[in-house]
Amino acid sequence: MAGENITEPRGATKWLLRANASFVYIFFYIPILVLIVFSFSDNRNVGVWGGFTLDWYRDFAESDNTREALWNSVQIGLVATVISVVLGTASALALERFKFRGRAVFDALLYLPIIIPDVTMAVMMLLFFSEAAELFGFSKGFATITLSHIAFSISFVSVVVRARLGGMNDRLEEAAMDLYATRWQAFRYVTLPLIMPGILGGGLLALTLSLDDVVITQFVTGPGWTTLPVYVFGLIRKGVTPLINAVSVVMLVASTILVVLSLIAQRIRGGDTV
Amino acid sequence: MTDTTTRDDSADAAAVATPELEAVNERQKRRRGLWLALPAWVYLAVFFAIPLAIVFVYSFATRNRFGGTDLSGWNLDSYRALGGDLVRAVLVRSVVLAVITTVICLVISYPFAYFMATRSTRTRNLMLVMVMIPFWTNFLVRNYAWYVILGTDGPLSTITETVGLGETRFLFTQTAVVLGLVYGFLPFMILPLYASIERIDGRLLEASRDLYATGAQSFRRVLLPLSMPGIVAGSILVFIPSLGAYVTPVILGGAKTTLLGGYIVTQFLEARNWPFGAALSSVLMIIMLGATVVYFRKGGQTL
């Protein structure tokens, strides 16, 4: 849809639309800017300016708690991302390229983790792992957190990869097989390079979601497995210190980089053939 | 979606293949699809569908004296407890705040999405990226940013005091919670609205104006009905997470403003009344499933 002469809003409407759009962006970015500014403030009070300092970032770098939490987050995020990328891509291929029994049910099942509120998902995982722990006897921690993260990430990867697959047709694969490529070769040398941007985008999204999750992680974590967001959430509830500002900015920068990379990845055209 | 080429029917292939060969081929293809989907199928069955079923089962169980859960002796006690005064207050407050959040998001997002849809492709893409960035940045951090801004001696208070309005006391109020929710979920409204407005043929609006509709009439009779799928999708995508929100009310609402999400968490981590918590979660899920059905009936697509 594009604006044309008679439908183009004039006068007050035009200015209201512009003002509203500016307002939305100011609303989106002001809090982020405020947070960044105050993370450099030399004052124990989180919202009061007290001159420039890098102390809070030094505290972050020197604190064993934050370093350990960060390391936990990274380990969980990487493992969860790799597994959900494999499972999500396979399911995207199955749904876009094949008809099979139970396809509709599978589609619905994939859709649920995206819309379910995190509190509900957290409760599900808590009860599930409590029951499982009673049956099989294991302790909560790395495995339970990672398994839960994969459970919601598969769907997001699948959606992104499907969007990519949906925009392609399968004639290239057919052509490759006509030229005596095996099914595997056709996938490896034709399909995979073409959907790679989708896979990368989906993977980065999965990593972001895993690194961001608080609620579900808090429910399925065990001793010694505090992730960075869970640690920050705990700090906020206990009493706020400017250290949180610095940790928040680090998390903010990390997730912004991941999002931008993800958007760039999805924009890249896999080869110039299609 | 840059590719516009569509697959044509593989008529040439069918002309060579016999029907029998075609059927064998088809069966093979189905089996291959199933094998490909199987790992994720099994994973989601074990780590999503079974947990979901367990929550329903727990909601009929009994809490024993030690805070444990007794799975034998099914009953509806937890659902009966939903009628209690405190629960009802939490439920009503959650629904009211979620509705207010949804309405505010809709009012802000509709003109924004329209504005965005009528820009040039370049501007549009840039605007979209600028919406996506806060959309995927850490939710906890974004709520915490408002905590910093709204605090008693935070920047907002400093500004209002300098202007002479006195210090503001927004933090730990319902207003702060709605603000945080709107901030958190606004992109969920903008994106589907944009997607549906962008798809509308601009010539329809032109035609209505050619036929002497005023701007308002053309909006109400053409634009609004055509963008209805986006409105429904966006409203559901904002309403559901608002209703289940936990992080925002804890950070910005303080202890007084318990909402459904926080109340459920309390049942598990503090009160240790798991069956009741499971019943509350089940209610939340049923609302969510109902909303999803509405969403698909209205012809909505995924984000």
Side-chain angles (χ1 to χ4, degrees):
Chain A
M1 181 174 158
E4 274 91 22
N5 32 34
I6 16 168
T7 51
E8 182 72 35
R10 274 178 296 263
T13 321
K14 184 177 163 186
W15 288 109
L16 275 176
L17 282 175
R18 275 175 194 279
N20 181 65
S22 321
F23 165 77
V24 168
Y25 285 114
I26 292 170
F27 182 59
F28 271 147
Y29 287 95
I30 282 275
I32 296 175
L33 282 177
V34 168
L35 197 61
I36 295 174
V37 168
F38 282 99
S39 70
F40 295 107
S41 166
D42 193 4
N43 193 315
R44 286 221 68 84
N45 226 318
V46 287
V48 180
W49 182 251
F52 181 84
T53 182
L54 286 172
D55 283 0
W56 311 119
Y57 287 93
R58 209 191 51 219
D59 282 3
F60 169 69
E62 284 172 359
S63 150
D64 287 337
N65 287 332
T66 49
R67 269 215 313 258
E68 199 193 304
L70 179 65
W71 177 231
N72 288 344
S73 282
V74 170
Q75 280 173 278
I76 292 165
L78 289 178
V79 176
T81 302
V82 170
I83 298 176
S84 48
V85 160
V86 173
L87 295 180
T89 306
S91 58
L93 280 166
L95 286 168
E96 280 295 315
R97 285 283 187 270
F98 298 95
K99 283 189 199 123
F100 53 91
R101 192 178 298 197
R103 187 180 177 281
V105 181
F106 182 55
D107 202 0
L109 188 60
L110 260 176
Y111 176 74
L112 277 177
I114 297 180
I115 52 163
I116 207 158
D118 16 356
V119 167
T120 318
M121 181 110 182
V123 168
M124 284 163 47
M125 295 334 260
L126 172 74
L127 297 184
F128 175 72
F129 285 122
S130 307
E131 286 294 318
E134 240 170 70
L135 281 177
F136 305 108
F138 57 83
S139 58
K140 291 179 185 178
F142 176 77
T144 49
I145 301 172
T146 310
L147 288 169
S148 308
H149 286 192
I150 297 167
F152 64 73
S153 296
I154 293 176
S155 309
F156 286 93
V157 174
S158 168
V159 165
V160 176
V161 177
R162 273 183 85 176
R164 180 84 197 168
L165 273 169
M168 286 166 40
N169 58 47
D170 52 7
R171 289 211 305 240
L172 288 166
E173 292 137 64
E174 277 169 23
M177 283 192 282
D178 283 346
L179 296 165
Y180 300 105
T182 60
R183 205 165 281 284
W184 165 250
Q185 283 171 326
F187 172 74
R188 171 66 188 82
Y189 295 107
V190 179
T191 320
L192 192 62
L194 284 171
I195 60 171
M196 202 33 113
I199 297 177
L200 275 176
L204 288 164
L205 185 57
L207 185 59
T208 314
L209 291 171
S210 169
L211 291 176
D212 279 4
D213 179 68
V214 187
V215 187
I216 297 166
T217 310
Q218 193 187 291
F219 267 62
V220 296
T221 188
W225 278 96
T226 308
T227 62
L228 198 55
V230 170
Y231 181 68
V232 171
F233 191 51
L235 283 183
I236 295 175
R237 300 181 78 180
K238 253 185 275 168
V240 176
T241 69
L243 173 66
I244 303 175
N245 292 9
V247 182
S248 299
V249 172
V250 171
M251 282 160 61
L252 202 72
V253 170
S255 48
T256 309
I257 292 173
L258 289 175
V259 183
V260 172
L261 283 178
S262 160
L263 289 173
I264 292 173
Q266 286 176 66
R267 237 154 236 283
I268 297 171
R269 302 194 55 186
D272 33 35
T273 34
V274 186
Chain B
M1 299 308 96
T2 44
D3 308 306
T4 45
T5 40
T6 50
R7 9 177 344 197
D8 59 357
D9 49 322
S10 40
D12 42 352
V16 185
T18 61
E20 293 82 42
L21 211 66
E22 193 82 327
V24 170
N25 216 9
E26 185 67 15
R27 230 172 313 157
Q28 257 180 355
K29 217 177 160 187
R30 275 169 188 272
R31 209 172 312 136
R32 228 171 260 130
L34 193 58
W35 277 114
L36 208 47
L38 202 62
W41 230 136
V42 171
Y43 193 95
L44 288 176
V46 174
F47 294 106
F48 192 86
I50 291 177
L52 194 72
I54 293 178
V55 173
F56 280 115
V57 170
Y58 260 76
S59 70
F60 297 105
T62 322
R63 173 181 187 256
N64 64 29
R65 276 178 298 148
F66 315 106
T69 303
D70 219 341
L71 284 178
S72 57
W74 288 26
N75 58 68
L76 287 171
D77 287 355
S78 300
Y79 287 96
R80 244 170 251 136
L82 292 174
D85 285 342
L86 178 62
V87 193
R88 206 147 1 124
V90 170
L91 277 173
V92 168
R93 191 188 299 142
S94 306
V95 171
V96 169
L97 292 191
V99 168
I100 295 174
T101 304
T102 311
V103 171
I104 294 176
C105 283
L106 186 59
V107 170
I108 298 173
S109 304
Y110 200 95
F112 181 81
Y114 178 81
F115 183 75
M116 191 153 76
T118 50
R119 295 308 97 187
S120 68
T121 321
R122 236 184 109 84
T123 325
R124 209 189 290 182
N125 285 339
L126 183 68
M127 287 180 81
L128 207 54
V129 170
M130 297 289 281
V131 173
M132 293 295 279
I133 290 174
F135 182 43
W136 291 121
T137 44
N138 197 297
F139 188 72
L140 174 69
V141 168
R142 287 189 290 143
N143 277 297
Y144 174 68
W146 280 105
Y147 178 97
V148 173
I149 293 178
L150 298 178
T152 344
D153 35 35
L156 183 70
S157 216
T158 316
I159 293 170
T160 51
E161 268 175 75
T162 327
V163 179
L165 290 168
E167 68 176 27
T168 45
R169 295 196 175 278
F170 276 136
L171 197 58
F172 304 142
T173 62
Q174 299 196 0
T175 317
V177 175
V178 171
L179 186 67
L181 291 175
V182 169
Y183 186 64
F185 301 133
L186 195 58
F188 287 104
M189 185 67 92
I190 292 177
L191 296 174
L193 269 180
Y194 166 75
S196 83
I197 295 176
E198 201 257 343
R199 239 172 290 170
I200 296 172
D201 188 345
R203 288 175 303 184
L204 292 171
L205 288 174
E206 264 179 65
S208 73
R209 299 303 294 270
D210 284 344
L211 296 165
Y212 302 105
T214 62
Q217 280 174 324
S218 150
F219 167 73
R220 207 172 59 80
R221 308 284 290 269
V222 182
L223 189 61
L224 201 60
L226 286 175
S227 55
M228 207 37 105
I231 297 177
V232 174
S235 302
I236 289 171
L237 288 176
V238 172
F239 183 77
I240 292 174
S242 301
L243 193 61
Y246 162 61
V247 172
T248 311
V250 167
I251 296 181
L252 298 173
K256 288 173 296 174
T257 328
T258 307
L259 297 187
L260 190 52
Y263 195 59
I264 291 174
V265 172
T266 312
Q267 299 313 315
F268 285 94
L269 300 187
E270 283 150 44
R272 293 199 67 82
N273 191 346
W274 290 17
F276 183 52
L280 286 167
S281 308
S282 304
V283 170
L284 191 56
M285 273 190 291
I286 288 163
I287 296 175
M288 183 206 77
L289 288 176
T292 313
V293 171
V294 172
Y295 175 43
F296 280 116
R297 282 267 166 81
K298 292 277 175 188
Q301 296 290 312
T302 29
L303 258 184

